[in-house]
Amino acid sequence: MMSVMKFFRLMVAPVTAVAFMLVAWQIAVMMSGVSAYLLPSPWAIAQTMWASSDRLIGGAIQTAMAATIGFVVASVIGILGGSMIAAIPFLRRSLYPLATILQMVPLVAVAPLLVIWLGFGLPTAIAAAAVVAVFPVLAATIDGQVSVDPGLRELFLLHGASGWTRWRKLDLPASIPAIVTGLRIAAGLAVIGAIVGEFVSGYGGNAPLGIVIMTAMREARTDLVFAAIALSAVVGFSLFGAVSCLGWFLVHRWHASSVNSLEQSK
Amino acid sequence: MMSVMKFFRLMVAPVTAVAFMLVAWQIAVMMSGVSAYLLPSPWAIAQTMWASSDRLIGGAIQTAMAATIGFVVASVIGILGGSMIAAIPFLRRSLYPLATILQMVPLVAVAPLLVIWLGFGLPTAIAAAAVVAVFPVLAATIDGQVSVDPGLRELFLLHGASGWTRWRKLDLPASIPAIVTGLRIAAGLAVIGAIVGEFVSGYGGNAPLGIVIMTAMREARTDLVFAAIALSAVVGFSLFGAVSCLGWFLVHRWHASSVNSLEQSK
Amino acid sequence: RSSPNEAALTPITLQLNWVPEPEFGGMFAALQDGLYVAEGLAVDIRKGGAQVPCAQLVASGQVPFAIVSGEEVLTLRARGGEIVALFATFQRNPMGFMLHKNNPIDSLEALWKSSSTIGLDPGMPFVAILNEKYGGKNLKMVPYSGAMATFLVTPDYVQQCFITAEPVEAKLRSVDAKVFSVEDVFNPYTAVIATNETYLKENRATVEAFVRATKQGWIRYLANPQKYNPAIVALNPSMTLEAMNIAADLERTLIVPTSGEAGIGQMTMDRWRSLEQQLVDTKVIPVSMSIEEAFFTADPSAAQAP
Amino acid sequence: MIRDLPSLEFQSVSRIFSGGARALNDVSFSIPAGGLTAVIGPSGCGKTTLLRMAAGLDRATTGSVKFIGQDGNVHSRASENLSVCFQDARLLPWRNVTDNVALPLELAGVSRDERSARAKQVIEAAGLSSAQARLPAQLSGGMRMRVALARTLVTSPDVLLLDEPCSAVDEFTRIQLDEEIRRVWQVSGATTMLITHSVSEAVWLADQIVVMSMGSIHEIRKVALPRNARDRASSAFLLEVETVMRSLARAAGVLVA
Amino acid sequence: MIRDLPSLEFQSVSRIFSGGARALNDVSFSIPAGGLTAVIGPSGCGKTTLLRMAAGLDRATTGSVKFIGQDGNVHSRASENLSVCFQDARLLPWRNVTDNVALPLELAGVSRDERSARAKQVIEAAGLSSAQARLPAQLSGGMRMRVALARTLVTSPDVLLLDEPCSAVDEFTRIQLDEEIRRVWQVSGATTMLITHSVSEAVWLADQIVVMSMGSIHEIRKVALPRNARDRASSAFLLEVETVMRSLARAAGVLVA
Ligand SMILES: Nc1ncnc2c1ncn2[C@@H]1O[C@H](COP(=O)(O)OP(=O)(O)OP(=O)(O)O)[C@@H](O)[C@H]1O
Ligand SMILES: Nc1ncnc2c1ncn2[C@@H]1O[C@H](COP(=O)(O)OP(=O)(O)OP(=O)(O)O)[C@@H](O)[C@H]1O
Ligand SMILES: [Mg+2]
Ligand SMILES: [Mg+2]
């Protein structure tokens, strides 16, 4: 009971903020009389969402699948790869810059290659999501593991812990707060990556959100573009929320972030 | 002299890694006989870079300008906004989710709107770069500042330090390592954002890299696409390098990351 | 008309929807030969790209003139955009499907009933029409990213194309292609110069002068494209002069109406009406609108042509 | 300078942590204005918790902690000029010794020149002159605590709260630091609470000793020796130390002969 | 179990830190196999630096630190079964007391049941039974150090390095902990180095006391009292303490009457 109450109390602020923003937006659109193809009102978008709900939800499910799988792949690669890079100085000096360069390759430009390598459809969207999401996880993991308290490292060193053991029992738990931040950033990017991937991968009967967006843009249906974006944000936000919950669950008992937020909310 | 030597020694690993990758790629292309439309060899790309160097360098300068300005804007907004959000629990509960949602809006989908709102050329590319780069900075700043040692916070509290003072003298310096990680992620994203922005912002005489890529793709000049990508990676890598140097300069004397990397390089 | 001095020229911008190519040859000819200046206009031609939202830019008043396609004019008007068509460069739809020469498929109908993989922009209006006509359930539609690489290396791949552009490029890369035009099922005006409704009201003379000069430019360009193409190549080095010369030859029949050069750029109510009908039928736009306001004939000499 | 030095009153203070741990149980005592009270007791008996409440960093579950001015008014804690030395050093890792010590002055807006002059003085008294420019990571454990103590003493506080400031140093360094604590206390006249493990330090400095045991007060003892009669070798001093030691032993649950 | 207990030899050890600070200057002494040597000296004199070298966490600028087996062979440090109690507690913040204490056993691959049995025993000896399930953030400063000490003693080390393990606790808790240190030392027979600020602790536990001063050795003293003759109240014990205290005072530069 307590925690349900608490949950509702925690939701008040974000819901208020979103509601406030939507109302301001609605009023701004109504006052300025800007045409719908430039900036549709939230109300118009809501109507579109309702009217096209079948198409949007079907698309969202596909996009969510691609984004989620891509995100998981990126998380695993980012955390494991980042840990290896952090642990082995040679890799840090050689692979980290390489990973950085890969991060800077604009996906839209290589997406056609992805299609050729992976074929049309889901695999390409997954790969695109994973490619853009992996770097933040990698960077945050490296940062987190390189910043582990040197005193605790010495402790493990002394007891002759193997690299693997030290990673499992020290580096990984100690860097969870940093990794969670990386995952938070990656959650949003994975959705964007999936959508960009969908721009180049196939679309059959049930079009994913990326295709819905492209089609709507071509037809100057800005309201539908926004409706699809809203749904993609919902997908991303679910991923983000899941990561945040996981992070809270793992660190709230011991990490400074929870102490500091308690102190402040007093 | 010492530090020049050291610099060269530090460069050995990444240069080796890149060289190794290029050689492997070259061999793979030569062995498989894959068509140059799909995957040109590094050597072919290098020739193209040489042949089109005027156009590429001109484009890279424009893209670098947009990416750098966008990156700086994103850094300022991300660090200041993140600090405010970290400092004020109400904002954390209301604005952070909002910022998250904004991060999930696929830029490619709203870029056309940016052009219409901001007009042609540089402003749109800058805005696009800033939009994609701001969230990682924001998230990392929030994370860093919420994780500041609660003991040090109490110290400042006791001396009646204003929020502003505490931020300047404690929160900001203590969170620099985390912020630098966010900036590193943002550096790459800013370049990609600038390129996507350039895709939509009609352009005048000298085409930026985004346009070079678009045009080259249309003409099936995959070699030129890759050459342009390579240059965009150079732009991104310069930003990344600048951020890393700045970070090293600011924290190497006191932060665990430098202690740990010293220990390991022994 | 007296030749006005530089300072008195009216500055205007024309936003292209693609990079400089022969499909905009008339505008560049008018620029090169000073026809715009003679009309008192200082024209800035802006390159564009696949993602530049030309119709929206013109409707929102960001630019006075832009190149758009016919269906874009009507769809945007249906959403409240103040866009008006002025001049239709292509009288016949240059859009088509490009196949490898030795692909056994021999007609648009056969293509649509096959199980080919076909690259095309999502939301192309003629897809719904073709689906209606031929089914198309087995087709595997994939987005066309603007990159031709897939076509060049995949023998059974099919993609959308501009008859004057991609097939020429493919040929220059030693890949012979055949093309099925979609003209017979969907034939909107293409490469249409459009302006903003308000701008038109307030600057009628400028608009008329611009259209006049452009038309003259086209007459000159089509007569001697080799004279103007080098300047276009200079603006778009990614396309060879050879390709441009070939494209200029190919586009002539699509631009010059049967009535002859005097009708270049003309638009008729019937053509706009049938386009509108197709868009309503395929549910791209909701209801019919007043077509009279969707286009403006600045050059009465061309208006009556069939 | 006319200052209204407050007294510090703990009134029936209890503290139960969220896990259910009962750290304090009905603790009442007061430190008179300008007095120096030492709190001693076995590890984990609640000393730090008491100090944190006085500093306003923790709140009593029941009961209250108050600063009362000489006019009898209750002061708000925020208005007090308070200085705390924590059990851990809490140095800013990116600042050298001088800048760490000068921090409270900097936060109080003292000019740069005055800051460095005053910091120099306490750094010298703490025996850290040769380490002035070092970062915390380059100091030994005892040096770090000395920096923290110097930082606490650099202001002229009305209320001084010290949590085992000398536990990480040897006997003789401790005697020097005690001297510095006494000097600052006498100059500033601060109302002082000192947590210590050294009974002789408690007797040497304090005019009242609170002996705690498992969250409660075991004994409150006025130190009978007049300040001028204290001499670490005198028999009166040693006797007093012996007496307090016995009390502490009983508090710690050790059987005393 | 036949063990080859090593002796620990410091041979002309000097240590100059990169900033130029000279922490150790030609220090030589050895701890015989199975012996317990206490190192005392003023704050910042280089005790921790010595200990870190013995633990292999720092390297001598010149000179060497060696473990020498009873056969006269030099052991590699890595082969030693070493246990260190650092000056700071170094607990994993996400593990409770029991799991922190059991960590070295866990790393050594000891089975879960044996782990918890042995952890339970040292936790009890450290007086932490009631806090077993708490996280480090929920402990007092002294309790944290006691957890660290318990963790050090939970294995059966051949070499035991203790850096002020008892400085954060009161006199009586310290006596209990000393008892535990002695018990573990006697059971394991470990070659032990103990850094402490308490002279009486040093005399109580050690058979050799090294008094340091500013990076050098001031005096090396064998503790003459046989172990069975030590009694914290006996005059022989108090006399020995008094003597070492004087030596420390001189090392600290205090004039002694
Ligand atoms: N990383 C470092 N860089 C520079 N100087 C250092 C460093 N570590 C220690 N020192 C210096 O070396 C000297 C000895 O330090 P050490 O920690 O060994 O002292 P200690 O005897 O353990 O003192 P304490 O009793 O206070 O813990 C000190 O003067 C200290 O400032
Ligand atoms: N955050 C907390 N949550 C739960 N229990 C706590 C917390 N902080 C302290 N305690 C408990 O409260 C009791 C008193 O702690 P306190 O720090 O006041 O002890 P102390 O007298 O200062 O001990 P020491 O001399 O060891 O520093 C201890 O038993 C401790 O375990
Ligand atoms: Mg305490
Ligand atoms: Mg030390």
Side-chain angles (χ1 to χ4, degrees):
Chain A
M1 272 308 284
M2 267 300 285
S3 63
V4 173
M5 288 280 293
K6 204 171 157 194
F7 177 78
F8 276 114
R9 240 181 307 125
L10 277 177
M11 291 311 290
V12 170
V15 168
T16 312
V18 171
F20 184 82
M21 196 200 70
L22 291 180
V23 169
W25 175 358
Q26 179 79 36
I27 291 174
V29 168
M30 279 160 55
M31 300 285 281
S32 70
V34 60
S35 355
Y37 73 90
L38 286 182
L39 187 63
S41 71
W43 177 238
I45 296 171
Q47 283 176 313
T48 304
M49 283 174 89
W50 180 248
S52 311
S53 58
D54 278 6
R55 193 173 161 198
L56 286 170
I57 290 173
I61 289 173
Q62 288 196 56
T63 302
M65 197 145 74
T68 307
I69 301 177
F71 174 75
V72 170
V73 170
S75 306
V76 172
I77 295 178
I79 295 174
L80 295 183
S83 302
M84 268 170 53
I85 290 177
I88 305 169
F90 177 78
L91 291 186
R92 187 148 78 254
R93 272 178 279 128
S94 56
L95 284 191
Y96 195 19
L98 216 63
T100 322
I101 291 178
L102 287 183
Q103 183 211 10
M104 314 210 173
V105 173
L107 181 68
V108 267
V110 291
L113 290 177
L114 281 185
V115 171
I116 289 160
W117 295 332
L118 299 173
F120 292 104
L122 199 59
T124 299
I126 291 173
V131 164
V132 292
V134 77
F135 188 77
V137 185
L138 194 85
T141 305
I142 294 174
D143 172 61
Q145 304 204 349
V146 154
S147 305
V148 171
D149 181 356
L152 296 178
R153 291 218 148 171
E154 288 182 353
L155 189 72
F156 277 71
L157 204 69
L158 275 172
H159 286 102
S162 66
W164 162 241
T165 308
R166 193 187 71 190
W167 181 72
R168 242 174 355 123
K169 305 205 177 213
L170 176 64
D171 295 350
L172 185 64
S175 56
I176 281 177
I179 294 177
V180 167
T181 300
L183 291 177
R184 281 202 186 119
I185 297 170
L189 290 177
V191 177
I192 293 182
I195 285 177
V196 172
E198 286 161 4
F199 284 175
V200 295
S201 67
Y203 56 102
N206 215 343
L209 288 183
I211 299 294
V212 173
I213 289 174
M214 281 202 108
T215 309
M217 269 164 54
R218 171 143 219 117
E219 294 174 357
R221 290 205 51 190
T222 315
D223 53 338
L224 189 55
V225 172
F226 273 83
I229 288 177
L231 270 179
S232 79
V234 168
V235 171
F237 204 68
S238 313
L239 269 179
F240 180 90
V243 169
S244 297
C245 285
L246 182 76
W248 182 86
F249 177 75
L250 289 174
V251 310
H252 75 108
R253 284 167 63 242
W254 61 271
H255 190 248
S257 57
S258 47
V259 178
N260 286 341
S261 48
L262 273 179
E263 171 224 315
Q264 287 166 354
S265 60
K266 257 188 218 157
Chain B
M1 273 306 284
M2 267 300 287
S3 62
V4 172
M5 288 278 296
K6 203 170 154 193
F7 177 78
F8 277 113
R9 239 180 310 124
L10 276 177
M11 292 310 292
V12 169
V15 169
T16 313
V18 171
F20 184 83
M21 197 199 70
L22 291 179
V23 169
W25 175 357
Q26 179 80 35
I27 291 174
V29 167
M30 279 159 56
M31 301 284 282
S32 70
V34 61
S35 149
Y37 301 128
L38 283 187
L39 188 62
S41 72
W43 177 238
I45 296 172
Q47 284 176 312
T48 304
M49 281 174 90
W50 180 249
S52 312
S53 57
D54 279 6
R55 194 171 158 201
L56 286 170
I57 291 173
I61 290 172
Q62 289 196 54
T63 302
M65 197 146 75
T68 308
I69 300 178
F71 174 74
V72 170
V73 170
S75 306
V76 171
I77 295 178
I79 295 174
L80 295 184
S83 302
M84 267 169 53
I85 289 176
I88 305 168
F90 177 76
L91 290 186
R92 187 148 81 255
R93 272 178 278 128
S94 55
L95 284 192
Y96 195 20
L98 217 62
T100 321
I101 292 178
L102 288 183
Q103 183 213 8
M104 317 218 170
V105 173
L107 179 69
V108 268
V110 290
L113 293 176
L114 279 185
V115 176
I116 294 164
W117 295 333
L118 297 176
F120 289 109
L122 206 56
T124 298
I126 291 173
V131 163
V132 292
V134 76
F135 188 78
V137 185
L138 193 85
T141 305
I142 293 174
D143 172 61
Q145 304 206 347
V146 154
S147 305
V148 171
D149 180 355
L152 296 178
R153 292 219 146 170
E154 287 183 354
L155 189 72
F156 276 73
L157 203 70
L158 275 173
H159 286 103
S162 66
W164 163 240
T165 308
R166 192 187 72 190
W167 181 73
R168 242 173 356 123
K169 308 207 177 213
L170 175 64
D171 295 349
L172 185 64
S175 56
I176 281 176
I179 294 178
V180 167
T181 300
L183 291 178
R184 281 202 185 117
I185 298 169
L189 290 178
V191 176
I192 293 185
I195 286 178
V196 171
E198 286 161 4
F199 285 172
V200 296
S201 67
Y203 46 97
N206 214 345
L209 289 183
I211 299 298
V212 174
I213 290 174
M214 267 281 165
T215 315
M217 268 166 65
R218 167 85 188 230
E219 310 296 344
R221 291 208 45 198
T222 315
D223 54 339
L224 190 56
V225 172
F226 273 81
I229 287 177
L231 272 178
S232 80
V234 168
V235 171
F237 204 66
S238 313
L239 269 180
F240 180 88
V243 169
S244 296
C245 286
L246 182 77
W248 182 86
F249 177 76
L250 289 175
V251 309
H252 75 107
R253 286 167 63 241
W254 62 270
H255 190 246
S257 57
S258 46
V259 178
N260 286 342
S261 46
L262 274 181
E263 169 224 315
Q264 288 166 354
S265 58
K266 261 187 218 159
Chain C
R1 239 165 249 103
S2 63
S3 132
N5 67 42
E6 291 285 322
L9 297 178
T10 310
I12 57 171
T13 302
L14 171 66
Q15 172 69 50
L16 305 183
N17 61 356
W18 193 241
V19 289
E21 276 187 0
E23 64 175 291
F24 312 118
M27 295 71 161
F28 285 105
L31 196 65
Q32 187 172 330
D33 286 354
L35 304 182
Y36 289 133
V37 174
E39 292 280 6
L41 304 173
V43 178
D44 173 24
I45 301 183
R46 253 178 202 282
K47 303 180 202 178
Q51 317 254 343
V52 179
C54 291
Q56 283 96 327
L57 284 170
V58 92
S60 64
Q62 285 272 3
V63 288
F65 300 101
I67 307 291
V68 301
S69 65
E71 75 270 16
E72 279 178 318
V73 174
L74 296 190
T75 39
L76 197 55
R77 285 190 67 84
R79 323 256 180 254
E82 301 188 334
I83 186 171
V84 184
L86 296 174
F87 179 97
T89 306
F90 285 87
Q91 298 291 313
R92 291 167 54 198
N93 191 353
M95 190 62 81
F97 290 104
M98 170 165 91
L99 300 76
H100 281 254
K101 187 119 204 167
N102 46 14
N103 191 320
I105 294 171
D106 58 0
S107 68
L108 191 54
E109 182 175 356
L111 170 63
W112 225 251
K113 287 178 170 161
S114 73
S115 58
S116 304
T117 298
I118 179 165
L120 83 181
D121 281 334
M124 285 298 220
F126 52 79
V127 170
I129 300 168
L130 284 166
N131 282 345
E132 181 106 334
K133 245 176 135 170
Y134 302 127
K137 283 193 190 63
N138 298 326
L139 278 179
K140 183 163 186 205
M141 286 184 238
V142 300
Y144 176 50
S145 60
M148 261 174 65
T150 314
F151 181 80
L152 293 174
V153 298
T154 318
D156 57 357
Y157 184 74
V158 182
Q159 70 159 65
Q160 71 180 45
C161 69
F162 244 52
I163 290 168
T164 59
E166 284 94 342
V168 177
E169 284 297 325
K171 175 130 183 82
L172 291 175
R173 286 178 164 71
S174 320
V175 175
D176 281 330
K178 57 185 174 188
V179 176
F180 304 144
S181 171
V182 296
E183 187 184 0
D184 294 335
V185 284
F186 187 63
N187 194 21
Y189 293 122
T190 309
V192 173
I193 297 178
T195 190
N196 182 282
E197 244 171 41
T198 315
Y199 186 85
L200 173 60
K201 257 185 225 127
E202 290 167 3
N203 305 279
R204 199 166 168 141
T206 308
V207 170
E208 284 173 351
F210 179 64
V211 170
R212 210 159 35 231
T214 302
K215 183 174 172 182
Q216 287 310 309
W218 269 113
I219 291 171
R220 292 191 184 204
Y221 180 80
L222 291 175
N224 188 10
Q226 280 86 348
K227 178 181 170 197
Y228 304 100
N229 280 344
I232 304 178
V233 169
L235 291 172
N236 175 18
S238 68
M239 196 173 173
T240 61
L241 187 59
E242 190 190 0
M244 286 205 185
N245 288 339
I246 298 172
D249 281 342
L250 286 174
E251 73 185 6
R252 189 172 286 115
T253 57
L254 305 175
I255 290 172
V256 183
T258 43
S259 57
E261 280 187 345
I264 286 178
Q266 71 182 6
M267 298 177 289
T268 67
M269 184 71 88
D270 285 349
R271 287 282 298 276
W272 282 112
R273 276 246 159 76
S274 62
L275 175 61
E276 182 203 16
Q277 195 52 52
Q278 282 185 312
L279 293 178
V280 171
D281 287 348
T282 53
K283 299 197 175 63
V284 172
I285 56 177
V287 281
S288 52
M289 57 184 103
S290 67
I291 280 301
E292 292 79 9
E293 286 156 23
F295 71 103
F296 169 76
T297 303
D299 177 12
S301 71
Q304 258 45 58
Chain D
M1 184 171 56
I2 302 162
R3 292 192 307 167
D4 180 14
L5 278 180
S7 66
L8 172 54
E9 318 247 347
F10 294 89
Q11 295 171 344
S12 305
V13 173
S14 296
R15 177 71 170 97
I16 301 169
F17 283 103
S18 52
R22 192 174 200 95
L24 291 175
N25 194 6
D26 194 20
V27 169
S28 300
F29 70 94
S30 80
I31 305 178
L36 195 162
T37 294
V39 178
I40 61 177
S43 171
C45 71
K47 305 180 293 296
T48 298
T49 308
L50 265 184
L51 179 134
R52 288 176 58 79
M53 284 175 183
L57 298 172
D58 195 357
R59 260 189 256 162
T61 309
T62 61
S64 63
V65 181
K66 284 179 191 154
F67 291 102
I68 299 182
Q70 264 144 21
D71 49 7
N73 289 342
V74 174
H75 291 198
S76 89
R77 197 204 55 78
S79 72
E80 292 304 334
N81 179 3
L82 215 133
S83 210
V84 181
C85 183
F86 294 95
Q87 205 166 352
D88 48 341
R90 306 201 176 175
L91 306 180
L92 303 186
W94 53 88
R95 288 189 170 214
N96 67 19
V97 169
T98 305
D99 293 345
N100 261 297
V101 170
L103 179 73
L105 300 175
E106 201 178 316
L107 295 179
V110 173
S111 78
R112 182 178 292 272
D113 285 354
E114 201 184 332
R115 239 151 59 195
S116 68
R118 282 163 70 181
K120 202 166 175 230
Q121 192 194 352
V122 283
I123 287 172
E124 210 159 287
L128 290 167
S129 300
S130 62
Q132 272 185 64
R134 293 207 200 145
L135 292 174
Q138 302 173 315
L139 301 177
S140 78
M143 290 162 93
R144 258 175 249 160
M145 273 313 297
R146 285 188 274 152
V147 175
L149 179 61
R151 179 181 60 195
T152 313
L153 301 180
V154 80
T155 51
S156 303
D158 292 343
V159 179
L160 193 54
L161 305 172
L162 305 171
D163 196 351
E164 307 185 21
C166 305
S167 69
V169 301
D170 62 294
E171 211 100 347
F172 296 97
T173 310
R174 178 186 285 246
I175 289 173
Q176 283 167 32
L177 295 180
D178 284 353
E179 224 32 69
E180 179 63 12
I181 292 173
R182 176 179 282 181
R183 192 188 65 74
V184 170
W185 171 62
Q186 275 172 343
V187 168
S188 69
T191 306
T192 303
M193 172 172 174
L194 167 71
I195 298 176
T196 178
H197 286 314
S198 162
V199 172
S200 80
E201 183 175 83
V203 175
W204 177 251
L205 291 172
D207 41 34
Q208 172 178 273
I209 296 178
V210 174
V211 184
M212 293 188 60
S213 166
M214 296 176 63
S216 307
I217 291 190
H218 176 77
E219 187 187 350
I220 299 181
R221 227 187 124 73
K222 302 278 165 210
V223 180
L225 294 171
R227 202 153 294 287
N228 54 19
R230 292 184 207 197
D231 167 356
R232 273 182 142 128
S234 74
S235 62
F237 182 80
L238 292 174
L239 185 70
E240 182 71 25
V241 170
E242 182 66 29
T243 318
V244 177
M245 194 73 98
R246 271 166 205 273
S247 176
L248 176 60
R250 271 191 302 272
V254 180
L255 292 182
V256 202
Chain E
M1 185 172 53
I2 302 160
R3 290 192 308 166
D4 179 15
L5 276 180
S7 66
L8 172 53
E9 315 249 347
F10 294 90
Q11 295 172 343
S12 305
V13 172
S14 296
R15 178 69 170 98
I16 301 169
F17 282 104
S18 52
R22 192 173 200 96
L24 291 174
N25 195 7
D26 195 21
V27 169
S28 300
F29 70 93
S30 80
I31 305 179
L36 195 161
T37 294
V39 178
I40 60 176
S43 171
C45 70
K47 305 180 293 295
T48 298
T49 308
L50 267 184
L51 179 135
R52 287 176 59 79
M53 285 175 182
L57 298 172
D58 197 355
R59 261 190 256 164
T61 310
T62 61
S64 63
V65 181
K66 285 179 189 151
F67 291 102
I68 299 183
Q70 265 146 20
D71 48 9
N73 289 340
V74 174
H75 291 196
S76 89
R77 195 205 57 77
S79 71
E80 294 303 336
N81 181 0
L82 215 133
S83 211
V84 181
C85 183
F86 294 95
Q87 206 167 352
D88 48 339
R90 306 202 176 173
L91 306 180
L92 303 186
W94 53 88
R95 287 187 171 216
N96 66 19
V97 169
T98 305
D99 293 345
N100 261 297
V101 169
L103 179 73
L105 300 174
E106 202 177 318
L107 295 179
V110 173
S111 78
R112 182 177 292 274
D113 284 355
E114 201 184 331
R115 239 151 57 196
S116 68
R118 281 162 70 180
K120 199 165 178 231
Q121 190 195 351
V122 283
I123 287 172
E124 210 159 287
L128 290 167
S129 300
S130 62
Q132 272 185 64
R134 293 205 202 147
L135 293 175
Q138 300 173 316
L139 300 177
S140 78
M143 290 162 95
R144 260 175 248 160
M145 274 313 297
R146 285 188 275 152
V147 176
L149 180 61
R151 180 181 61 193
T152 314
L153 303 179
V154 81
T155 51
S156 304
D158 292 342
V159 179
L160 194 52
L161 306 171
L162 306 171
D163 196 351
E164 307 185 21
C166 306
S167 70
V169 302
D170 62 293
E171 211 98 347
F172 296 98
T173 310
R174 178 185 285 246
I175 289 174
Q176 284 167 30
L177 295 180
D178 285 351
E179 224 33 70
E180 179 64 10
I181 292 172
R182 174 178 282 180
R183 191 188 65 74
V184 171
W185 172 62
Q186 277 173 340
V187 168
S188 69
T191 306
T192 303
M193 173 173 173
L194 167 70
I195 298 176
T196 177
H197 286 313
S198 163
V199 172
S200 80
E201 182 174 81
V203 173
W204 178 250
L205 291 173
D207 40 35
Q208 172 180 272
I209 296 179
V210 174
V211 184
M212 293 188 59
S213 167
M214 295 176 65
S216 308
I217 291 192
H218 178 76
E219 188 188 349
I220 299 183
R221 225 187 126 72
K222 303 277 166 206
V223 180
L225 294 172
R227 200 153 297 288
N228 55 20
R230 293 186 206 194
D231 167 354
R232 274 184 140 128
S234 76
S235 60
F237 182 81
L238 292 174
L239 185 69
E240 183 69 26
V241 169
E242 181 66 29
T243 318
V244 177
M245 194 75 98
R246 270 166 205 274
S247 177
L248 176 60
R250 274 192 302 271
V254 179
L255 294 181
V256 200

